[in-house]
């Protein structure tokens, strides 16, 4: 199942940093919600339309308890991930193992980096490196997006130059000036002006956020949710389509390619909270465990700066401890023994890997294949 999320008005999302009007004149915002934001909003909307928050807190409504849990526990409801959908196509964050090329008319193109095993000594004693295929200035893939067809090409080593989209192709920003209001007197307070950036979709009739769900109750009777700063209303439209990246025939071809090269990629489509971050993946003899039977050697990692994930604890009535998450687009290169290829592909073509907040939509990943070039 997937849910179309369409804002009634402008929208914005705050980051983890504190903001107090009068002390800070600029609030830090961004145009794309964290997994926790969407999960919390949908959870609250379902509880509001199915029962009430008092019964939820007491755990006396069995249906709500089954799906949404209690204030201290998760229920069966889980989110896979939230993305931008435009004109019927879902757009995903670009992987970090790409060379970004700026060509004519300031358009940005991407082509995969090449994995190479070096023989010369390096400062970290790691023999595996990612190298660009083209000489010249490269750009940044921050906030870049690709549709499903191009994503599959990129994570499986295409030689094509894939044109990229950016969030600014779908979302426009506008600065808003505000003033703090005294909650008791409902009057404006002196010297408490502030500025926030608000956002809207360029073409609201063609563009929306789309949230794919795993296990979920029906949202047919949940017409809207309050999402983002100030709990602004968003309309919810239910659709029965599920998230599928590969066909069965494409998975068979992927198995054959991985058996030939012995190298595969784990590509995160949403942020992932892994204890120890990338340090545990870059140590000598680093491994990653996908399940109890599948532990793989890590060759190298392509990632960006960690995202800081916050949130509010409704039980303790205070902010949750902040955690660092690997950003969406992180790629982990792993070595696959031939006897483990079948299991790797069967569980990995769409799965989750995160050490915390799994039901909220963290750690969604897919897989691809890579060739390995050995230095002569």
């Amino acid at each position: 199942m997937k849910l179309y999320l369409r804002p009634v008005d402008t929208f914005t999302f705050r980051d983890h940093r504190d903001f107090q009007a009068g002390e800070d004149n600029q609030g830090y915002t961004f145009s794309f919600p964290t997994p926790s934001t969407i999960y919390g909003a949908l959870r609250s909307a379902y509880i509001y339309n199915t029962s009430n928050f008092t019964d939820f807190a007491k755990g006396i409504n069995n249906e709500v308890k089954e799906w949404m849990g209690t204030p201290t526990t998760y229920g069966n409801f889980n989110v896979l991930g939230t993305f931008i959908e435009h004109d019927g196509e879902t757009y995903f964050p670009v992987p970090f193992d790409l060379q970004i090329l700026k060509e004519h008319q300031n358009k940005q193109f991407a082509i995969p980096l090449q994995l190479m095993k070096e023989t010369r000594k390096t400062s970290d004693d790691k023999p595996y490196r990612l190298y660009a295929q083209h000489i010249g200035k490269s750009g940044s893939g921050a906030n870049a997006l690709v549709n499903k067809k191009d994503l599959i090409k990129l994570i499986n080593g295409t030689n094509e130059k894939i044109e990229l989209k950016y969030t600014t192709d779908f979302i426009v920003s506008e600065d808003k000036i505000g003033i703090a209001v005294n909650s008791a007197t409902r009057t404006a307070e002196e010297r408490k002006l502030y500025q926030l950036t608000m956002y809207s979709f360029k073409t609201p009739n063609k563009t929306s956020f789309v949230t794919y769900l795993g296990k979920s109750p029906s949202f047919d009777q949940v017409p809207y949710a309050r999402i983002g700063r100030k709990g602004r209303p968003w309309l919810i439209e239910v659709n029965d389509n599920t998230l599928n990246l590969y066909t069965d025939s494409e998975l068979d071809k992927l198995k054959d390619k991985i058996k030939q090269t012995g190298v595969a990629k784990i590509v995160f489509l949403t942020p992932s909270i892994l204890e120890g971050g990338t340090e545990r993946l870059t140590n000598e003899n680093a491994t990653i465990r996908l399940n109890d039977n599948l532990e793989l050697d890590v060759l190298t990692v392509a990632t960006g700066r960690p995202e800081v994930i916050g949130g509010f604890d409704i039980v303790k009535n205070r902010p949750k401890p902040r955690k660092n998450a690997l950003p969406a687009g992180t790629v982990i290169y792993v070595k696959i023994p031939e006897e483990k290829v079948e299991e790797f592909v069967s569980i990995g073509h769409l799965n989750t890997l995160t050490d915390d907040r799994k039901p909220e939509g963290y750690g969604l990943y897919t897989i691809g294949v890579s060739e390995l070039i050995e230095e002569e």
Side-chain angles (χ1 to χ4, degrees), residues 343-370:
E343 183 178 6
F344 174 74
V345 174
S346 66
I347 71 164
H349 64 276
L350 193 67
N351 208 333
T352 54
L353 179 65
T354 182
D355 291 332
D356 195 14
R357 305 191 189 186
K358 183 177 180 179
E360 299 180 19
Y362 289 93
L364 181 69
Y365 74 89
T366 188
I367 57 176
V369 66
S370 175

Side-chain angles (χ1 to χ4, degrees), residues 181-197:
V181 175
N182 187 294
S183 59
T185 63
R186 305 303 298 168
T187 58
E189 297 194 11
E190 293 185 4
R191 299 181 180 180
K192 288 198 174 182
L193 284 170
Y194 64 89
Q195 179 176 308
L196 283 176
T197 302

Side-chain angles (χ1 to χ4, degrees), residues 5 23 79 86 143 164 167 186 208 211 268 280 327 338 370:
L5 305 178
E23 298 176 8
V79 171
H86 174 75
N143 300 315
L164 302 178
T167 52
R186 305 303 298 168
S208 69
T211 297
F268 285 98
R280 76 184 220 190
E338 186 172 348
S370 175

Side-chain angles (χ1 to χ4, degrees), residues 45-115:
Y46 181 84
I47 294 169
Y48 177 82
N49 284 274
T50 305
S51 179
N52 59 72
F53 290 101
T54 300
D55 289 351
F56 166 69
K58 294 179 180 178
I60 60 178
N61 184 305
N62 291 331
E63 180 183 353
V64 169
K65 186 176 181 179
E66 175 190 356
W67 287 110
M68 302 302 164
T70 68
T72 57
T73 61
Y74 288 114
N76 293 329
F77 174 60
N78 74 288
V79 171
L80 295 179
T82 298
F83 310 98
I84 291 176
E85 183 165 312
H86 174 75
D87 210 11
E89 284 195 298
T90 302
Y91 285 82
F92 300 91
V94 299
F96 278 98
D97 63 336
L98 302 176
Q99 182 182 11
I100 310 300
L101 306 171
K102 182 181 287 188
E103 297 193 353
H104 55 87
Q105 299 177 344
N106 288 327
K107 291 184 177 181
Q108 304 266 55
F109 295 82
I111 190 167
L113 300 173
Q114 291 181 329
L115 179 65

Side-chain angles (χ1 to χ4, degrees), residues 257-288:
K257 290 181 181 178
I258 295 176
K259 287 178 181 177
Q260 292 173 9
T261 66
V263 177
K265 307 176 186 180
I266 298 169
V267 183
F268 285 98
L269 305 178
T270 63
S272 178
I273 303 172
L274 296 183
E275 297 298 333
T278 57
E279 181 182 3
R280 76 184 220 190
L281 302 174
T282 55
N283 290 333
E284 187 176 0
N285 301 320
T287 61
I288 188 165

